Amino acid sequence: EAKAKKGAEFRVYDATMNLKVMQKVELESEAREALRGNQFSLALQPQIDMHSGKLMGFEALLRWYHPKKGHISPGDFIPLLENTSFMLELDYWVITRSTHLVRELKNSGYPDIKVAINLSAGQFLDPSLPEFLQHQIIKNDIAPDQVCLELTETVLVSDIKRATEIMQTIRDMGCMLAIDDFGTGYSSLSYLKSLPADYIKVDRSFVANIANSADDRNIVHSTISMVRNMGMQVVAEGIETNEQYELLCHFDCHQGQGYLISRPIPEVNLWDTLSDKVENGFWKDFA
Ligand code: C2E
Ligand code: MG
Ligand code: MG
Ligand code: MG
C-alpha cells in the first residue's frame, strides 16, 4: 500500500516535471548533433599580468553557434547539460581543442602561453581525467604548466577530501589549478588554506563594484593580501573600467581579464588579433 501511494505521488510530481525533462533530453540530443556538425567552438579571453601588461594566457570559453537559433550562451546550455553523459564528452572535446591550441601557439612563436580550461563537476570527478589530460599534453608536446584547470567552489565542497586528492594528482602531473568565481560559494578561510591551488579567481561581481563600494573594495583588497600570503596568485575577472584596473594594480593583484583588456576572441580571429595586438609578448594597450 505504501508503495502504491509512493507511485501515485511520483506520477503527480512527474507531470509537472515533464516539460523540463523533455527540454533537457531534447537539448542533449541537439547538442550531440551540434558537436558532430562542428557547431561548437572556443573563444579565448586574454589573461594578462596586471603590472607589465604581458599576455600570460587565455581562458577557453565554449561557444555554440546553432544554425537556426544563433548563438547559445554557455550560461544557458551548460547548466542543462550538467550530469549528462554528453557533458563529459563535450568537456573532453574542450580539453582536446585547448591543448591543441597551445601547440599551435607554440608553433607560431608564442611558446609560453597558457590555457585555462573550465571543468564541470562531472569531469572533475571522472576517473579518466588525469590520464586523458596527460595524454593530450604528451601528444601535443607542451609543458604541463601551460594547462590550468578552473574549478568552482561548488565542485569542491560536495566532497572536499576526494576533491583535494584529485587536485593533488593533477598538480603532481605539473598542471595548474585555479579556483573560479571565488567569493560566490561557501568558501571559508580554513578550506582555502588546505586547497592545493595555484590561482584564485576573484568573481566579477566583486570586481564590478570595487570603485563605488567600500565593502567590495575591502573584500577584494583583503582577499588579494590573504591569497598572496598563502603563496597563491589572484586573477581578477570581469575588469571593465580603467578605474577598476588601477585599483586592482594598487592592491597588487597578479593577473586580470575582462572586457577592458579584451572580450573573448573567437578562435578563427585569434591569429589576426595576436599579430595586431601583441608585440614581444605584451598586450600593448595596457602595458
Ligand atoms: P566563467 O568561467 O566565470 O567565465 C567568465 C565569464 O565572464 C565568461 O562568460 C566571459 O565571457 C565573461 N566575461 C569575461 N570578462 C567579462 C567582463 O569584463 N564583463 C562581463 N560582464 N563578463 C565578462 P561565458 O563565456 O558566457 O561563460 C559563462 C560560464 O560558462 C563560465 O563562467 C563557465 O563557468 C562556463 N563555461 C564556459 N566555457 C566552458 C567550458 O568549456 N566548460 C565548462 N564546463 N564550463 C564552461
Ligand atoms: Mg572560468
Ligand atoms: Mg570565473
Ligand atoms: Mg564567473
Side-chain angles (χ1 to χ4, degrees), residues 134-170:
Q134 182 112 55
H135 179 72
Q136 297 304 317
I137 288 167
I138 292 168
K139 194 177 101 184
N140 290 296
D141 191 25
I142 59 176
D145 69 1
Q146 288 181 283
V147 179
C148 178
L149 301 183
E150 296 195 359
L151 309 166
T152 59
E153 296 165 74
T154 36
V155 170
L156 303 174
V157 291
S158 61
D159 186 348
I160 188 72
K161 193 167 167 282
R162 170 116 190 268
T164 310
E165 283 165 10
I166 300 170
M167 290 174 83
Q168 200 56 61
T169 305
I170 290 165

Side-chain angles (χ1 to χ4, degrees), residues 62-261:
L62 199 50
R63 296 290 176 262
W64 180 359
Y65 186 75
H66 191 288
K68 290 200 189 92
K69 294 172 185 156
H71 289 283
I72 307 177
S73 150
D76 290 332
F77 68 84
I78 287 173
L80 280 169
L81 293 175
E82 197 83 53
N83 301 321
T84 65
S85 61
F86 178 71
M87 188 65 223
L88 212 53
E89 210 178 299
L90 190 57
D91 277 330
Y92 281 113
W93 180 85
V94 173
I95 292 189
T96 304
R97 195 112 194 99
S98 304
T99 47
H100 183 68
L101 183 71
V102 176
R103 173 75 242 173
E104 289 182 311
L105 284 162
K106 219 170 166 174
N107 291 347
S108 307
Y110 303 99
D112 313 314
I113 304 286
K114 297 184 197 316
V115 71
I117 302 169
N118 293 283
L119 292 193
S120 70
Q123 186 179 30
F124 178 63
L125 298 170
D126 183 44
S128 53
L129 173 67
E131 207 181 312
F132 187 89
L133 195 57
Q134 182 112 55
H135 179 72
Q136 297 304 317
I137 288 167
I138 292 168
K139 194 177 101 184
N140 290 296
D141 191 25
I142 59 176
D145 69 1
Q146 288 181 283
V147 179
C148 178
L149 301 183
E150 296 195 359
L151 309 166
T152 59
E153 296 165 74
T154 36
V155 170
L156 303 174
V157 291
S158 61
D159 186 348
I160 188 72
K161 193 167 167 282
R162 170 116 190 268
T164 310
E165 283 165 10
I166 300 170
M167 290 174 83
Q168 200 56 61
T169 305
I170 290 165
R171 274 186 111 207
D172 289 345
M173 288 166 42
C175 295
M176 312 296 267
L177 285 171
I179 308 301
D180 204 356
D181 302 336
F182 184 74
T184 58
Y186 300 97
S187 43
S188 72
L189 298 184
S190 58
Y191 125 105
L192 188 60
K193 199 181 93 188
S194 64
L195 279 183
D198 302 281
Y199 300 102
I200 300 296
K201 296 189 75 175
V202 174
D203 191 64
R204 164 158 62 93
S205 57
F206 297 101
V207 173
N209 297 316
I210 47 172
N212 46 37
S213 151
D215 282 344
D216 284 9
R217 194 155 54 240
N218 287 332
I219 290 170
V220 171
H221 193 181
S222 49
T223 301
I224 294 170
S225 333
M226 181 188 73
V227 169
R228 183 179 280 279
N229 287 334
M230 289 177 179
M232 297 183 279
Q233 295 200 12
V234 177
V235 182
E237 51 176 39
I239 305 171
E240 292 185 352
T241 69
N242 278 308
E243 209 176 357
Q244 290 163 357
Y245 191 95
E246 274 153 31
L247 276 167
L248 288 161
C249 246
H250 181 66
F251 296 157
D252 250 351
C253 181
H254 300 85
Q255 290 181 36
Q257 60 184 104
Y259 292 171
L260 177 76
I261 299 149

